[in-house]
Amino acid sequence: MSLWKVAWRSIQQRVLASGLTAFSMGLGVALVVTVLVIHGVVSQTFKRGATGYDLIIGGKGGSKLDLVLNTVFHLGDPLHNIPYQYFEDLQQGNLSNEVKLSVPLAERSMGLLQRADLVSKAVELAIPVCLGHDYQGCPAVATTPDFFEKLTYYYKGKDVHYQFREGKNFQDEKGSEYDAVLGATAARKTGLKLGDTFRPVAKSQSEYGKHEDPEFKIVGILEPTGTANDRAIFMNIEGFWRCPAHAKAAAGDAAEGSEHEEHADHEDHAGHDHTGHHHALHREVSAILVCYDKSMPQLYTALPEVVNKYTAAQAVEPSREIFRFLNGIVGNVQLLLLILAVLVVVVAGIGIMVSMYNSMSDRRHDIAIMRALGARRSTVMLIILFESILLALGGGALGVALGHGLIAVLGPTIAEQTGVVVNPWDFQPVELMLIPGLVILASLVGYLPAMYAYKTDVAKSLMAGT
Amino acid sequence: MANHDILILKNLKKSYRQPDGSELRILDIPAYRVSQGEQVVLIGESGCGKTTLLHVIAGISRPTEGKVRIDDFDLTLMTEPEVDRFRAERIGYVFQTFNLLTGFTALENVLLAMRFARGRPDKTRAKKLLDRVGLSHRLTHRPTMLSVGEQQRVAVARALANRPKLLLADEPTANVDAGNQQAILDLIRQTSQEENVALMLVTHSHEVADQFPRVDRLTEFNLAISG
Ligand SMILES: Nc1ncnc2c1ncn2[C@@H]1O[C@H](COP(=O)(O)OP(=O)(O)O)[C@@H](O)[C@H]1O
Ligand SMILES: [Mg+2]
């Protein structure tokens, strides 16, 4: 019979007190686990969402973080739009056109214009997106077929391509303009199926589905990706631009008199009229997703610098911004929560100490008998320490189960509200730290009752018993 | 071999320091011997120091002065862990009451004694001993489910578990109902003989003492050796 079993027997002998102390330990550990898992999942989701492209170029009117939250996570209100021409200039290596629009003639050098055209060579792939619409609470994002054909996302340690569970991607061809694709969560939430139609609505508008708006038809449903895109509906940008809703919103933006238009006034920009005689439609985009040309790393810092300093748009490296965000506000809030949760665990540990210490006078006789049978002082001390460790680890195991159970219960709500998909059975490696942590805590709180056992006067205790 | 001394006490003194600072002398024994396999009864008034003497012999308390030799080992020269180990391996002890560990079954109480002696717990021997004391049908009973007499029987089996050289029994039948007293006394004497263990049994009852070939009287701190 091992000393562990002896310790387990004394736990069984005081079922209620042991159960309660282990349970309070379980609650503390459940809190720690919840904080850890949510932290792990949140940071993973944010990091995961950031991959697939290297740079976001979008309008001003909000912080870089706003732009990232908007574009990557479909959270918050979109910033100002930028003209479609910006997208074309970027893609065709004509970023100097945009510099001309922003920088007054007097301050503009040949060198700067050449540099602007040069840095846009860093762009290997640019994909426009239009944000700010939704359908039944799901963000409706307008983009090009490239989004699903050329972008990848990060899943289980690899960059993988989007897969269609049903149907296919929308196409860049006539007749496909009003096609749309559903993310996995959006499909579940909206109940839309292949062939169904819907009308996206601008977030700023209150009514759904104006009659004059065209309907989009679902042609594909994506496999779950674990990214915020699961919540979204993706529309072909060609059809979106034809929507009166977009036209109206875009016209509103223009009327606000963005810097873009102001500077444009100073320019002779024949053939560069955004409001439109070149394009039959009023085209604007909320953001451009950029993948760098892997052969031009020397331009990676120059491109965002030129965009930010000399054009009407702003450029953000999403991974860097998310990293900053996680380490800043999110990190600190979670650290605070973690400290509180650890304090709860420590208090539960003190509960174990008090409960065990109170039981020691009842156990003096048993300890004396063990000693009389030849158990050493250190042996009876070890039995008490083992008991404390068993209580803490048992409570800890309960807490891990409770914590993950809590996440399982809260998960759907978190996913619905934030798009962060929390898998309750996603065990975080840090959770393993609980084992040595709890053993150390249990040894510390078990020390006082264990010392009591160590110091028990066998002769006196035996005489008191008879 | 037959007259080999299993226990030798020499100039043994034990006194307690009282709360007022003065010394309370309990034991003062110039010389005392028990030989291998011998059965000795120790009779004395309540409070004369019988339990104290057994504690000193078992190494549970240290003598204030003098020597305790058991099986040629001097307990007073050993460190405490050594004494603990020695007690586990060579001394069996039966208390007056509440012998058993409350959280454990009869069988587990015997196995634990083996565990503390660092021997490999021998389940077969444990069961055999419990069978010998008439408890083969009570192996998995906890102490609370056993009568006082049955608890004392388990204690006897447990005391013999590690094949000790010396069995100390401190008024083992004092709390047992009258009908069982003689049976338990007989059991202790018979099993000690079977296991070739020297028995030192303490009592304040002349009825019990009269059955032993050797009766020693403890009075006024001293141990008078009779018979
Ligand atoms: N730890 C102690 N401190 C002081 N006096 C003690 C202590 N233990 C026992 N005594 C005293 O020693 C005497 C002998 O006790 P004990 O050995 O239990 O007697 P018996 O077993 O013969 O009844 C008693 O008077 C008791 O009060
Ligand atoms: Mg006594």
Side-chain angles (χ1 to χ4, degrees):
Chain A
M1 185 176 299
S2 72
L3 297 185
W4 289 104
K5 198 166 170 196
V6 176
W8 175 242
R9 277 302 162 78
S10 20
I11 290 174
Q12 284 178 312
Q13 272 186 284
R14 308 185 306 120
V15 175
L16 186 68
S18 305
L20 286 177
T21 47
F23 183 68
S24 67
M25 177 59 75
L27 288 182
V29 170
L31 273 180
V32 171
V33 166
T34 311
V35 173
L36 286 180
V37 170
I38 290 186
H39 171 77
V41 171
V42 165
S43 42
Q44 239 183 52
T45 306
F46 274 81
K47 283 170 192 159
R48 188 188 288 170
T51 57
Y53 40 88
D54 305 302
L55 197 67
I56 300 171
I57 296 176
K60 291 181 175 167
S63 72
K64 290 187 152 102
L65 180 61
D66 288 336
L67 184 57
V68 173
L69 291 177
N70 257 293
T71 311
V72 183
F73 302 102
H74 317 303
L75 295 172
D77 295 322
L79 313 180
H80 296 319
N81 284 342
I82 54 176
Y84 181 70
Q85 185 62 43
Y86 198 114
F87 170 70
E88 289 195 325
D89 287 340
L90 184 74
Q91 213 179 19
Q92 291 158 10
N94 292 328
L95 202 56
S96 58
N97 282 342
E98 296 301 321
V99 174
K100 282 181 200 160
L101 289 171
S102 285
V103 181
L105 192 55
E107 294 167 26
R108 197 195 293 156
S109 65
M110 269 313 282
L112 174 60
L113 295 180
Q114 280 170 356
R115 182 158 176 248
D117 285 343
L118 176 69
V119 295
S120 43
K121 301 262 186 297
V123 177
E124 184 181 83
L125 174 67
I127 297 172
V129 292
C130 292
L131 308 163
H133 285 66
D134 78 359
Y135 175 72
Q136 292 188 2
C138 295
V141 179
T143 186
T144 62
D146 283 353
F147 194 100
F148 298 113
E149 272 157 25
K150 298 194 177 152
L151 287 185
T152 57
Y153 63 93
Y154 190 72
Y155 188 70
K156 288 189 176 156
K158 287 198 299 261
D159 286 326
V160 294
H161 284 276
Y162 288 89
Q163 300 287 330
F164 284 85
R165 188 173 73 200
E166 286 176 63
K168 56 179 177 45
N169 194 3
F170 48 77
Q171 306 298 316
D172 195 7
E173 60 191 32
K174 255 198 147 25
S176 182
E177 295 95 336
Y178 293 102
D179 286 353
V181 160
L182 281 173
T185 310
R188 188 165 42 79
K189 241 177 114 176
T190 60
L192 289 172
K193 299 199 170 40
L194 282 190
D196 286 353
T197 57
F198 71 98
R199 282 196 183 92
V201 69
K203 275 185 192 163
S204 45
Q205 281 173 252
S206 49
E207 293 163 59
Y208 272 87
K210 290 262 165 60
H211 289 304
E212 67 265 30
D213 286 354
E215 288 189 320
F216 282 84
K217 190 175 99 195
I218 309 296
V219 297
I221 300 176
L222 292 161
E223 290 281 7
T225 62
T227 70
N229 289 335
D230 288 354
R231 277 161 63 235
I233 307 177
F234 298 88
M235 305 169 285
N236 191 334
I237 203 164
E238 289 297 331
F240 179 77
W241 277 325
R242 288 172 171 80
C243 287
H246 166 75
K248 217 183 287 169
D253 263 13
E256 270 176 40
S258 65
E259 292 169 55
H260 209 274
E261 297 298 323
E262 267 174 24
H263 291 301
D265 285 346
H266 304 294
E267 289 307 311
D268 59 331
H269 57 284
H272 193 163
D273 186 352
H274 304 138
T275 51
H277 68 261
H278 243 209
H279 316 290
L281 292 164
H282 185 100
R283 294 169 160 198
E284 286 192 341
V285 300
S286 305
I288 303 163
L289 315 179
V290 174
C291 293
Y292 285 141
D293 185 333
K294 297 290 170 277
S295 65
M296 306 209 161
Q298 70 277 14
L299 299 178
Y300 292 176
T301 49
L303 174 60
E305 190 199 324
V306 168
V307 169
N308 285 324
K309 263 196 192 158
Y310 305 110
T311 78
Q314 59 176 335
V316 198
E317 286 173 54
S319 53
R320 180 180 295 192
E321 205 56 41
I322 288 162
F323 185 76
R324 198 175 293 160
F325 174 59
L326 285 176
N327 282 303
I329 307 162
V330 174
N332 284 330
V333 168
Q334 281 175 335
L335 186 66
L336 189 71
L337 285 175
L338 190 63
I339 289 171
L340 287 176
V342 167
L343 277 180
V344 173
V345 169
V346 169
V347 169
I350 292 171
I352 289 180
M353 174 166 77
V354 170
S355 156
M356 284 183 62
Y357 194 81
N358 283 340
S359 77
M360 290 315 289
S361 61
D362 294 340
R363 290 153 75 165
R364 265 177 62 191
H365 185 69
D366 272 10
I367 290 166
I369 287 179
M370 288 193 217
R371 292 292 315 282
L373 290 178
R376 294 183 187 177
R377 282 182 196 275
S378 53
T379 306
V380 293
M381 180 178 184
L382 213 56
I383 289 171
I384 302 296
L385 277 182
F386 282 0
E387 183 176 339
S388 170
I389 289 170
L390 283 177
L391 282 174
L393 286 182
L398 178 76
V400 169
L402 269 179
H404 286 277
L406 191 69
I407 292 161
V409 171
L410 294 180
T413 319
I414 296 174
E416 221 98 297
Q417 298 292 319
T418 64
V420 176
V421 181
V422 187
N423 176 5
W425 314 121
D426 234 350
F427 285 86
Q428 301 298 313
V430 258
E431 285 180 60
L432 285 178
M433 287 298 293
L434 279 169
I435 296 173
L438 286 175
V439 169
I440 290 169
L441 178 68
S443 308
L444 290 176
V445 300
Y447 183 76
L448 198 66
M451 266 333 271
Y452 188 110
Y454 185 89
K455 287 187 173 155
T456 296
D457 183 327
V458 183
K460 262 189 198 162
S461 307
L462 286 174
M463 286 193 185
T466 54
Chain B
M1 192 72 183
N3 268 346
H4 170 70
D5 285 328
I6 215 70
L7 171 69
I8 299 173
L9 304 180
K10 226 181 228 169
N11 288 326
L12 184 79
K13 292 193 173 75
K14 176 74 182 175
S15 48
Y16 289 112
R17 191 165 291 282
Q18 288 180 302
D20 64 6
S22 64
E23 294 234 326
L24 173 69
R25 281 174 75 197
I26 307 288
L27 299 172
D28 186 351
I29 302 169
Y32 187 76
R33 288 165 190 273
V34 173
S35 29
Q36 180 164 26
E38 201 179 4
Q39 300 204 339
V40 184
V41 76
L42 216 91
I43 190 164
E45 298 299 314
S46 179
C48 72
K50 303 184 295 294
T51 300
T52 305
L53 177 60
L54 293 193
H55 282 175
V56 169
I57 292 172
I60 288 170
S61 11
R62 294 260 174 180
T64 316
E65 256 181 62
K67 294 245 170 254
V68 178
R69 286 182 78 87
I70 295 174
D71 200 18
D72 293 333
F73 288 90
D74 189 341
L75 262 65
T76 51
L77 296 179
M78 292 182 189
T79 63
E80 190 189 74
E82 284 166 354
V83 173
D84 289 336
R85 176 104 189 241
F86 187 86
R87 176 165 64 249
E89 287 172 357
R90 310 208 188 197
I91 301 173
Y93 207 133
V94 178
F95 310 105
Q96 187 174 333
T97 48
F98 305 117
N99 268 285
L100 304 185
L101 292 163
T102 45
F104 300 86
T105 65
L107 181 61
E108 285 168 342
N109 264 278
V110 179
L111 291 172
L112 259 180
M114 293 171 166
R115 166 71 179 73
F116 290 136
R118 305 284 177 83
R120 182 171 281 273
D122 182 348
K123 221 171 184 169
T124 319
R125 174 163 169 81
K127 282 181 176 166
K128 218 165 103 188
L129 283 166
L130 285 166
D131 184 40
R132 175 66 188 85
V133 300
L135 290 178
S136 50
H137 58 306
R138 294 277 187 273
L139 297 182
T140 55
H141 283 55
R142 298 271 172 100
T144 46
M145 300 183 281
L146 299 172
S147 72
V148 178
E150 285 172 327
Q151 291 182 30
Q152 294 306 85
R153 287 166 190 267
V154 177
V156 172
R158 188 181 66 184
L160 296 171
N162 296 319
R163 304 180 197 278
K165 298 283 182 188
L166 179 63
L167 176 62
L168 305 173
D170 192 350
E171 310 204 39
T173 58
N175 287 42
V176 179
D177 57 293
N180 260 315
Q181 283 182 1
Q182 190 57 48
I184 289 174
L185 192 61
D186 291 343
L187 182 70
I188 292 174
R189 294 192 60 188
Q190 282 162 18
T191 49
S192 305
Q193 203 161 25
E194 288 160 19
E195 300 277 328
N196 195 24
V197 182
L199 171 65
M200 218 177 147
L201 187 140
V202 155
T203 186
H204 61 266
S205 150
H206 288 280
E207 216 177 304
V208 171
D210 288 346
Q211 303 178 25
F212 279 74
R214 174 176 162 190
V215 180
D216 296 332
R217 186 171 296 273
L218 188 64
T219 45
E220 292 279 342
F221 328 130
N222 205 336
L223 203 52
I225 301 157
S226 71

